[in-house]
Amino acid sequence: MSDRYQAFTASPFGKLLVKNLGLPSPVRLRRWEEGAALVDGTVLVTGDGRLAADVRKQLDALEVAHVAEQAPETRYRAVVVDASGLTESSMLGALRDQVAPVLRSLESCPRVVVLGTPPEQTSGAERVAQRALEGFTRSLGKEIGRGGTVQLVYVADGAEQDLSSTLAFLLSPKSAYVSGQVVRVGAHGAVAQAPETDWRRPLEGKVALVTGASRGIGEQIARVLHRDGATVVGLDVPQAASDLQRLTDELDGDWLALDITAKDAPARIAQHLQREHGGVDVVVHNAGITRDKKLANMKSDRWEQVIAVNLTAPERITRALLDEGVLNEGGSVVGVASIAGIAGNVGQTNYATSKAGVIGLVESLRDDLPAGTRINAVAPGFIITQMTAAVPFATREVGQRLNAMAQGGLPVDVAETVAWFASPGSARVNGNVVRVCGQMMLGA
């Protein structure tokens, strides 16, 4: 679906109004296309912490061009700043000195990635300095403009060599609508070094279950996971069986039609995955519903339906797959939360409660999973779908513009983030909740 306002601002008259009235001017975002280079351009790697050398080695393996020093009149697609060496607040000026000079030398839709050490693994003055990096990256994300993104990656001791999958995602157009996020690598769960993977087909030979797969975001998740090599098992309600079968036939996958809130649903899903596929490697809890009403007017059935589908079912299914050994070694569970679960939303106390609960599920399991098995969540903001197309025009326009990129995201933006979490190369990426929202002005 097209963004009429964005098209208008690209017209001669629209450009004039934007300039004279100070209106939002959304840049057309670069998104990755199959067959393209992972990073189209050169990455500047700067900083003198403990991570820069490993970053360069991993960029070499990804076939990404990079340099260690800024050259005059040279333009860069991205900059990676190793700030792990900042051990007291007086050293934070070095961060400004490393980033500010290169900002005017960045290509359109640039990437800035700052690397640090998890503050909780430090103490004293170092903890102060490392925690300060969050304010720096979030503010720069709202300043950078031109479709750019800024992220902070905290890398735990021992995880220095496990950044490849995260760098591939954050430096490429796959992260087009992800900005202002804090990612932790190696901070949670048992230690298991990430295996080497081909970034083009990281899920080759893997089996992925996607709930709510027949349309919208779920359909796009299924398509992207298939693109990355996975055999996709799509699941949806019986009413959507024809659309579900049509999709999975196209993807040469498998399908299962059932109500995930049914008492026997977890057992049926586990049995099907074990019998037909010998287990499952990736589980994406995408199925979700809304039943909006202000709390004073909300009947109990509206509350219970949303909690049952969005939260209780994913919790029961995940635990069944773990307890029965159906989730294969090194498996990945990805929940679909929402910005509503972080910032709240008028008329959606039931929905926001359920999505905050999905984040709670991540926090509940992240430290108790077998080595290499992980759980993360995506939290979409305003994503343009058939559902949001039915939202009143004024409400829809406000929802799309209240972020640093002044536009709505696409289902593929959520799907690419899910695929990053799903990749075996993300074995040390555990316990994260990443917003796919263009850095909305609401929430942290």
Side-chain angles (χ1 to χ4, degrees):
M1 274 161 272
S2 62
D3 185 333
R4 294 181 181 178
Y5 175 80
Q6 188 177 33
F8 169 73
T9 60
S11 68
F13 181 61
K15 289 179 181 178
L16 183 63
L17 278 185
V18 165
K19 181 178 180 180
N20 291 337
L21 299 180
L23 298 173
S25 181
V27 172
R28 184 177 180 84
L29 302 180
R30 296 175 68 252
R31 291 180 168 88
W32 190 76
E33 297 181 358
E34 194 165 2
L38 183 64
V39 178
D40 179 18
T42 301
V43 178
L44 173 64
V45 181
T46 185
D48 56 0
R50 62 186 173 85
L51 300 166
D54 285 303
V55 167
R56 294 185 182 103
K57 291 177 183 177
Q58 290 168 82
L59 291 179
D60 284 338
L62 292 168
E63 301 176 347
V64 173
H66 60 90
V67 295
E69 294 184 5
Q70 184 179 0
E73 300 183 7
T74 300
R75 300 192 68 79
Y76 302 97
R77 176 60 63 192
V79 56
V80 177
V81 184
D82 181 4
S84 63
L86 304 183
T87 56
E88 57 183 56
S89 59
S90 62
M91 300 174 69
L92 288 166
L95 185 61
R96 180 247 170 241
D97 293 342
Q98 289 162 347
V99 177
V102 76
L103 290 176
R104 289 187 174 86
S105 299
L106 294 174
E107 304 274 10
S108 63
C109 296
R111 301 285 182 264
V112 175
V113 176
V114 177
L115 306 176
T117 302
E120 59 272 18
Q121 295 186 356
T122 64
S123 61
E126 184 177 4
R127 183 163 190 165
V128 174
Q130 289 298 314
R131 182 58 178 81
L133 299 179
E134 294 192 29
F136 178 87
T137 51
R138 286 187 170 130
S139 293
L140 184 57
K142 294 177 179 179
E143 292 181 8
I144 192 168
R146 297 178 295 132
T149 67
V150 182
Q151 326 289 352
L152 171 59
V153 181
Y154 282 131
V155 185
D157 286 337
E160 294 85 356
Q161 298 178 40
D162 298 316
L163 289 172
S164 181
S165 176
T166 299
L167 291 171
F169 175 65
L170 296 180
L171 294 177
S172 76
K174 295 183 178 185
S175 57
Y177 201 60
V178 177
S179 188
Q181 298 307 288
V182 178
V183 176
R184 282 172 164 77
V185 179
H188 295 286
V191 174
Q193 187 171 349
E196 292 186 10
T197 57
D198 179 354
W199 69 265
R200 297 170 185 83
R201 300 275 291 180
L203 295 175
E204 193 74 59
K206 304 298 184 182
V207 176
L209 172 70
V210 181
T211 69
S214 67
R215 63 190 179 112
I217 292 174
E219 176 186 348
Q220 195 61 53
I221 292 172
R223 291 185 180 280
V224 169
L225 296 183
H226 168 73
R227 178 205 71 192
D228 283 0
T231 296
V232 175
V233 180
L235 186 154
D236 219 315
V237 293
Q239 301 93 300
S242 58
D243 289 339
L244 182 64
Q245 184 175 10
R246 189 179 305 114
L247 172 67
T248 53
D249 284 350
E250 179 186 342
L251 303 181
D252 196 24
D254 187 15
W255 61 281
L256 189 60
L258 56 77
D259 178 356
I260 59 174
T261 66
K263 185 176 181 180
D264 63 345
R268 290 175 60 190
I269 293 168
Q271 290 166 7
H272 180 89
L273 291 170
Q274 190 67 61
R275 182 180 64 250
E276 300 298 328
H277 303 281
V280 66
D281 302 286
V282 179
V283 178
V284 184
H285 293 299
N286 167 74
I289 62 172
T290 57
R291 297 289 186 270
D292 296 353
K293 280 283 185 182
K294 288 188 176 180
L295 189 62
N297 302 319
M298 187 179 294
K299 304 297 183 183
S300 62
D301 62 331
R302 285 179 175 265
W303 179 275
E304 291 166 1
Q305 288 170 7
V306 170
I307 299 296
V309 173
N310 297 1
L311 179 56
T312 305
E315 185 177 9
R316 293 176 61 228
I317 292 167
T318 300
R319 295 193 182 280
L321 296 177
L322 287 170
D323 292 346
E324 297 178 30
V326 179
L327 184 64
N328 293 331
E329 182 179 351
S332 175
V333 178
V334 184
V336 178
S338 169
I339 193 70
I342 298 171
N345 208 5
V346 175
Q348 289 194 315
T349 53
N350 51 359
Y351 184 75
T353 300
S354 71
K355 293 304 185 179
V358 171
I359 297 172
L361 181 61
V362 170
E363 294 172 346
S364 171
L365 293 177
R366 66 190 181 189
D367 292 317
D368 297 324
L369 296 171
T373 302
R374 60 232 182 255
I375 183 167
N376 297 280
V378 295
F382 193 99
I383 305 297
I384 300 172
T385 63
Q386 289 181 335
M387 182 184 299
T388 57
V391 172
F393 175 78
T395 304
R396 187 170 69 248
E397 280 301 301
V398 171
Q400 290 186 90
R401 308 307 159 202
L402 281 180
N403 61 72
M405 296 180 182
Q407 60 191 286
L410 301 179
V412 70
D413 299 321
V414 181
E416 294 285 17
T417 311
V418 169
W420 160 51
F421 282 144
S423 169
S426 299
R428 301 298 299 278
V429 181
N430 182 33
N432 289 275
V433 178
V434 170
R435 292 180 297 143
V436 186
C437 63
Q439 199 178 8
M440 282 189 72
M441 304 305 178
L442 303 175

